[in-house]
Amino acid sequence: MSSLSRLFQYARRYRRDVYLASSFSVVNKFFDILPEVLIGVAVDVVVNRDASFLAALGVTDAFSQLLWLGLLTVLIWGGESLFEYLYQLRWRNLAQNLQHELRLDAYQHVQKLPLSYFEDKSTGKLMSVLNDDINQLERFLNGGANSIIQVLCSTVMVSAVFFYLAPTLAMIALAPIPLILYGTFWFQKRIAPRYAAVREAAAVISGRLNNNLLGVATIKAFTAEAFEAAHIRDASEHYRATNAAAIRLSSAIIPVIRMAILSGFVVTLVYGGHLALTGAIGVGSYSVLVFLTQRLLWPLTGLADIADLYQRSMTAVDRVLDILQAPLSIDYHGKPLPHDSVSGQLSFSHLTFGYGDLTVLHDISLTIPPGRTVAFVGATGSGKSTLVKLLLRFYDAQHGEIRLDGQDIRQLALTDLRRAIGYVSQDVFLTDGSVAQNIAYGMPEVGRDAIVAAARAAEAHEFIERLPQGYDTPIGERGQKLSGGQRQRLALARAILKDPKILILDEATSAVDNETEAAIQRSLDVVSRGRTTVVIAHRLSTVRHAHCIHVMEHGRLIESGTHDTLLAQDGSYAALWRLQTGERSAELA
């Protein structure tokens, strides 16, 4: 399916707007051509007077004929202006509406894609598609679509006038048009892969810039400004080189079209003049043909530019629609899960999962009773965080199942499942809004009292009150104006405000100081009561009071029990405990 067909299929709801805008473009071009015809009629009046074309219609006085021509000119220009306004209004509104809806649809689809989709995708490239490529489509609809329609209309209308007035001259003068159209389509096919390379190069630049701006603190700390500037220079140079290859081809077509047009104009000027001199056609008809040749053929020099813009846009459209057609491997639909009906019992049965060929979980089976606090500990890469990702259905396991209150989570409505879970990760995501807006993230209907209560429960209220504008203080992109511990407390307050039946803490205290860890621990002791709490941690001190601690190693459960029980077993957990307490003793010494 061609790019245009894919776009037209997507924009089915806007077909009426497309038809109306196209109709206005056609009528506008009809009025646009008529002034050249009136010029020929005026010349005919001046030369032939009472024997002119208008005289045959009943207006014999030459001056009266000119007055009628003046009135017709006003009406024609008024009609042309009216329909220009209408087609501009329709095409531009269509461009705005379509790019708006396409961007929203693409973004909403991206949000539903599984995390596996993003493993091989650059954030910068996705941003380039969702922003630059959609803007490219808007630029085409703003002007390019109308230009294509009007060029085609000009060709048909002018050709009809030519064949009516001088069929022989029409055959010769319009001969370059098929060659011009063929050359334009040939050019379009050759230029398409080059513009695809240009869009990819633009996405690479966007990706590098996005990555560097997010990591500007690290770049400064390692004095890597020159190193990263060289990366951007290389990416920009690649973009310039790929664009230059496209420009070389697109620039060559315009001179070729210009020479083809010149031949048609010269034929009309010379051979048409000869026909007028010999009386084969009238002087007025000759004037009409000369002016119409100018009006038809010279705008064709812009056909290459239009085709260039069209091909850029269709390349961009393909990239956006490819995202929209990316398969959703995780089904969002399922049985509803009312929030108040969830008790929080979790059961993992023979769970096996891997990323590609790498298996990270091996036959995991365990049950977490409702209202209990359970911890998972182990070395990095042991599979602890993967369990959480499977519970949230960021991925689906290849084998085995996870049950919530006896129901397979794959059979539940995904939105309801995630609403029942509060998630606090090590890498806290905060928006560029106020403190209150970040605590109430995803819950715009909650009041200020509930927000303050959640902040108090997370022991964040005191530091928030010290901020310049309290709860209304903007915290900057990704919360840059706050410390790591403050960001973690806001994330915990957000989870508390959600009032989930299941609370997950994925390394939530691994990057905070001891004071913040103690504050978060005190908060957890309160908020974990009555809800199932899953804690993933490296610091064993944060999980020693859990009802059950599971020790993982290479994707397998190797030990389970309370803190005291595991110490008594003198296994892996006891060794980790001695290591961590020994390190702390050495630090104190």
Side-chain angles (χ1 to χ4, degrees), residues 4 8 17-30 33 87 90-91 94 140-141 143-157 181 296 300 303 306-307 310:
L4 187 60
F8 201 65
D17 293 324
V18 172
Y19 294 145
L20 277 176
S22 300
S23 299
F24 294 150
S25 294
V26 171
V27 177
N28 169 260
K29 179 51 61 177
F30 173 75
I33 288 176
Y87 84 65
R90 282 288 176 175
W91 281 119
L94 174 64
F140 170 71
L141 291 177
N146 171 72
S147 298
I148 290 175
I149 291 172
Q150 293 208 331
V151 165
L152 294 176
C153 289
S154 293
T155 303
V156 173
M157 294 177 184
L181 296 177
L296 169 65
L300 289 177
L303 194 59
I306 298 170
Y310 170 80

Side-chain angles (χ1 to χ4, degrees), residues 320-333:
V320 178
L321 295 182
D322 285 345
I323 287 183
L324 273 172
Q325 293 174 358
L328 300 176
S329 59
I330 295 180
D331 186 10
Y332 270 64
H333 304 288

Side-chain angles (χ1 to χ4, degrees), residues 521-543:
Q521 192 62 48
R522 288 193 299 270
S523 301
L524 291 177
D525 292 340
V526 176
V527 301
S528 62
R529 295 171 190 167
R531 57 169 50 94
T532 305
T533 305
V534 178
V535 183
I536 295 174
H538 278 104
R539 294 183 184 180
L540 302 185
S541 60
T542 62
V543 299

Side-chain angles (χ1 to χ4, degrees), residues 23-45:
S23 299
F24 294 150
S25 294
V26 171
V27 177
N28 169 260
K29 179 51 61 177
F30 173 75
F31 280 112
D32 184 50
I33 288 176
L34 286 180
E36 275 68 25
V37 177
L38 292 184
I39 292 174
V41 175
V43 171
D44 183 50
V45 169

Side-chain angles (χ1 to χ4, degrees), residues 209-278:
L209 289 173
N210 177 71
N211 185 68
N212 288 3
L213 291 175
L214 290 176
V216 67
T218 303
I219 293 173
K220 289 178 177 292
F222 284 86
T223 62
E225 291 91 344
F227 177 76
E228 293 298 341
H231 272 174
I232 298 299
R233 186 185 307 111
D234 291 342
S236 184
E237 181 61 37
H238 176 62
Y239 173 75
R240 184 171 67 172
T242 53
N243 224 341
I247 290 172
R248 279 194 296 272
L249 182 57
S250 64
S251 299
I253 191 65
I254 294 178
V256 174
I257 291 178
R258 189 179 296 274
M259 295 309 296
I261 289 169
L262 177 63
S263 63
F265 182 74
V266 169
V267 167
T268 304
L269 189 68
V270 176
Y271 184 63
H274 171 70
L275 294 177
L277 290 173
T278 58

Side-chain angles (χ1 to χ4, degrees), residues 118 120-127 203-204 206-208:
F118 300 92
D120 300 322
K121 299 291 187 300
S122 161
T123 302
K125 288 186 177 181
L126 288 174
M127 288 176 59
V204 170
S206 179
R208 287 200 177 277

